[in-house]
Amino acid sequence: MAATSLPSETLQAIVLHALSLGPITDTRELSLAGPGVASPASGHPIVGPEPEQQLALKGALDSLLLREMITYTSENPELHVLTAEGQAIAQNGSHEFLVWEALSPDAPLTAKEIEAKVGKDVAKIGQGKAMKNKWIEKKGDGFLRKEAAPVDETKAQLLTVKTSGAHPTATVLADLRKRKLVEKKKLFYYKVAKGPNYSATAEKQEAELTVELLASGDWEKASFKKYNFNAEGVPPAAGALHPLMKVREEFRNIFFEMGFTEMPTNRFVESSFWNFDALFVPQQHPAREMQDTFYLKDPVASTTFPEDYYERVKTVHEVGGFGSTGYKYPFSKDETSRLVLRTHTTSVSTAMLYEIANQPGGFKPAKLFSIDRVFRNEAVDATHLAEFHQVEGVIADYNLTLADLIGFLEQFFAKMGITGLRFKPAYNPYTEPSLEIFSYHQGLGKWVEIGNSGMFRPEMLEPMGLPPDVRVHGWGLSLERPTMIRYGISNIRDLLGHKVPLEMIEKSAAVRF
């Protein structure tokens, strides 16, 4: 009868009975015997020697430990044990000894005759070793004993390993392993001793104070289990924040700490006016194609933009203004009305800057940020998806300079633990000057781009109604890249999509920059 088929109360009774005879030094030898334990298997071990079989006892031992009736320790020794071939040699003798034993000192046997006596496998190995040890000698076509009383060292070595689990000579042990006569094995068992509250029998303890116990009055003489205040509770079934949302929250905290206000970002669909034209992106310019845009089929267009602002944007595109010569092309209202899935959250920043420029009381300096999804028609691979999250910030104030932008970016990224930034001139249709932001990646051993930035052009700002001496800093980066770096994810499809394991989302640690 296996321990796994015995109830816990029976296992507890067996352990307590065994302790009444003395400490249990090895539960692998714990036999099925005890008061009230009747079984035809009585006297046999209740569990096998394998670790998983020994673990069947743990529940019973823990229950007795909680009542302080026993103490126990887990033992995990690593010993050498004999293989099946090693067991046979330890019992019968080595191959070379069996070959010697089959011979006589005066009547030679041929190789075939030796095989017939000891077997082909034993003869094949033993004949050569016996010759090497000079236990036997060749005479004509046969073999005779040469040594009168050889010592079977292999058998003696195996018997030492069998009784002690090791051998005092490391080279001998290595040779026996090489010959596959012994192997390493990790054992597992328990040592059990009496506890302060030990008794030969275990009284059943109540786990709860029930209505029945109260009604019958049995609660007065009942024994109750102690509360284990150190036990871990069952994890509640609950939702979990996605790693992206954890990193997003850290970015939000940094922005709020630096005095920024969050912009509303619930407009996933924008007109081309807000997404492109208000940013001074020309309608026929290659920069427009660089966005790889998703255009809507139904509805196709929208004209929900201020007409007077539209006229100023149209004029600066066609003939210029505010120190610019413009792009010198016929501006199309049909093109500016086309609806798109926004390609950047800068469309939100543009609409907010327009509101600030035209708010009651006139312009007031502002610091704004947004973190939300944008959409681009890109091929999906290990680092790109058709949608991703953009982190964007803008600062609008009087007489800002490029030096102010660089100084702020160094302060902003330092809050994420990123220092030693480098800046490289870049092109952007709606910022001038424009800068790419680089940081040295210790893991990759090279400089990597971590963001883009610049100062919005007058052709974008002044048609909104902003004063001429107002300057606006803008910068952005993706949310996915820092999240992948923080969580050690190399493929973006392991972060987003239908193949992402829920266990990863539940167990991902919180992020602190």
Side-chain angles (χ1 to χ4, degrees):
M1 182 180 291
T4 50
S5 64
L6 293 173
S8 179
E9 290 80 5
T10 302
L11 290 173
Q12 291 175 38
I14 293 169
V15 170
L16 293 174
H17 174 71
L19 282 175
S20 68
L21 305 176
I24 302 170
T25 57
D26 189 342
T27 52
R28 292 174 298 171
E29 300 171 1
L30 194 61
S31 61
L32 189 61
V37 180
S39 170
S42 184
H44 289 193
I46 62 171
V47 286
E50 298 302 321
E52 60 271 15
Q53 295 170 316
Q54 283 290 308
L55 284 171
L57 275 173
K58 193 174 189 311
L61 296 177
D62 284 341
S63 181
L64 293 172
L65 180 67
L66 190 62
R67 286 181 266 177
E68 298 183 342
M69 298 181 73
I70 67 163
T71 61
Y72 78 87
T73 57
S74 303
E75 302 295 324
N76 299 71
E78 190 174 65
L79 303 176
H80 285 83
V81 296
L82 306 189
T83 63
E85 185 180 0
Q87 291 278 11
I89 292 174
Q91 183 176 351
N92 305 317
S94 64
H95 300 314
E96 55 268 32
F97 183 82
L98 293 176
V99 169
W100 174 87
E101 194 175 43
L103 298 176
S104 70
D106 49 18
L109 293 180
T110 64
K112 289 290 184 185
E113 290 171 328
I114 295 173
E115 280 186 17
K117 274 196 162 190
V118 299
K120 185 176 181 178
D121 291 337
V122 172
K124 182 180 178 182
I125 299 171
Q127 187 176 307
K129 283 188 173 288
M131 287 288 290
K132 183 180 178 181
N133 293 342
K134 298 182 180 180
W135 292 358
I136 65 174
E137 61 182 348
K138 192 169 175 59
K139 186 173 184 181
D141 293 334
F143 296 88
L144 290 172
R145 286 185 183 180
K146 182 179 181 182
E147 180 70 34
V151 177
D152 192 351
E153 292 184 358
T154 302
K155 179 178 179 179
Q157 292 164 355
L158 289 172
L159 287 173
T160 300
V161 173
K162 185 177 181 179
T163 55
S164 66
H167 194 280
T169 307
T171 54
V172 169
L173 205 54
D175 182 59
L176 292 175
R177 282 201 306 268
K178 185 178 179 181
R179 294 168 62 183
K180 298 184 179 178
L181 299 179
V182 301
E183 62 184 358
K184 274 187 179 181
K185 191 170 186 180
K186 193 165 188 178
L187 305 180
F188 182 83
Y189 58 90
Y190 300 101
K191 285 185 177 180
V192 189
K194 293 179 181 179
N197 296 335
Y198 171 79
S199 67
T201 58
E203 182 183 358
K204 183 180 178 183
Q205 291 185 308
E206 301 291 344
E208 297 178 350
L209 181 62
T210 63
V211 174
E212 289 77 16
L213 287 172
L214 290 170
S216 65
D218 290 342
W219 65 272
E220 295 186 35
K221 55 181 181 293
S223 175
F224 290 91
K225 290 182 179 179
K226 287 184 178 180
Y227 281 107
N228 182 3
F229 292 102
N230 295 322
E232 293 184 0
V234 177
L241 283 176
H242 190 280
L244 272 176
M245 295 299 99
K246 294 178 181 179
V247 176
R248 177 181 181 271
E249 195 60 27
E250 284 304 301
F251 272 113
R252 292 181 77 241
N253 290 337
I254 290 172
F255 276 116
F256 288 138
E257 181 185 330
M258 300 183 78
F260 281 72
T261 301
E262 190 167 16
M263 294 182 277
T265 56
N266 55 349
R267 285 162 50 178
F268 291 160
V269 175
E270 290 278 13
S271 66
S272 293
F273 177 82
W274 291 111
N275 199 75
F276 297 120
D277 296 318
L279 277 71
F280 198 57
V281 178
Q283 293 181 341
Q284 289 82 27
H285 196 278
R288 196 91 157 210
E289 297 303 320
M290 288 194 318
Q291 306 292 349
D292 294 323
T293 306
F294 287 109
Y295 286 94
L296 268 65
K297 289 185 177 179
D298 186 23
V300 174
S302 171
T303 56
T304 56
F305 40 80
E307 191 64 29
D308 58 337
Y309 181 32
Y310 163 78
E311 290 296 335
R312 292 195 296 272
V313 169
K314 176 184 177 182
T315 299
V316 80
H317 276 250
E318 288 184 335
V319 299
F322 315 108
S324 170
T325 59
Y327 292 122
K328 306 295 184 181
Y329 72 94
F331 192 83
S332 168
K333 191 165 188 177
D334 290 339
E335 179 64 27
T336 201
S337 302
R338 293 179 67 187
L339 289 175
V340 300
L341 290 178
R342 67 181 179 207
T343 60
H344 47 196
T345 50
T346 314
S347 60
V348 178
S349 302
T350 305
M352 288 299 298
L353 288 171
Y354 175 79
E355 286 187 17
I356 290 171
N358 296 277
Q359 64 186 334
F363 168 78
K364 294 182 179 62
K367 295 194 287 188
L368 307 170
F369 81 94
S370 65
I371 308 173
D372 213 333
R373 278 180 289 175
V374 297
F375 309 87
R376 296 184 187 175
N377 189 12
E378 295 186 350
V380 175
D381 58 28
T383 56
H384 296 85
L385 292 177
E387 63 176 282
F388 61 94
H389 293 75
Q390 183 173 334
V391 181
E392 178 163 332
V394 295
I395 300 176
D397 206 343
Y398 293 100
N399 301 315
L400 294 175
T401 67
L402 184 63
D404 295 324
L405 173 61
I406 292 173
F408 174 81
L409 290 174
E410 288 176 340
Q411 183 183 4
F412 175 78
F413 281 100
K415 291 185 176 292
M416 291 181 272
I418 301 174
T419 57
L421 300 180
R422 286 184 179 179
F423 301 91
K424 175 184 173 183
Y427 165 75
N428 199 310
Y430 45 88
T431 58
E432 181 60 38
S434 303
L435 298 172
E436 291 175 349
I437 310 165
F438 288 81
S439 172
Y440 189 78
H441 194 294
Q442 295 290 345
L444 297 176
K446 64 179 182 179
W447 290 88
V448 295
E449 184 183 352
I450 58 172
N452 214 323
S453 64
M455 299 184 68
F456 288 132
R457 296 173 67 120
E459 298 98 322
M460 171 186 166
L461 300 178
E462 295 194 39
M464 296 177 178
L466 288 169
D469 54 349
V470 168
R471 302 287 182 267
V472 179
H473 293 158
W475 74 96
L477 62 151
S478 78
L479 184 63
E480 281 75 6
R481 178 172 290 183
T483 303
M484 291 171 70
I485 292 172
R486 282 290 174 181
Y487 287 97
I489 298 171
S490 58
N491 192 324
I492 196 170
R493 288 165 290 196
D494 294 331
L495 179 67
L496 289 168
H498 64 285
K499 294 183 179 180
V500 177
L502 291 177
E503 185 180 9
M504 182 276 288
I505 294 175
E506 292 170 353
K507 293 186 176 181
S508 59
V511 173
R512 290 292 181 270
F513 287 126

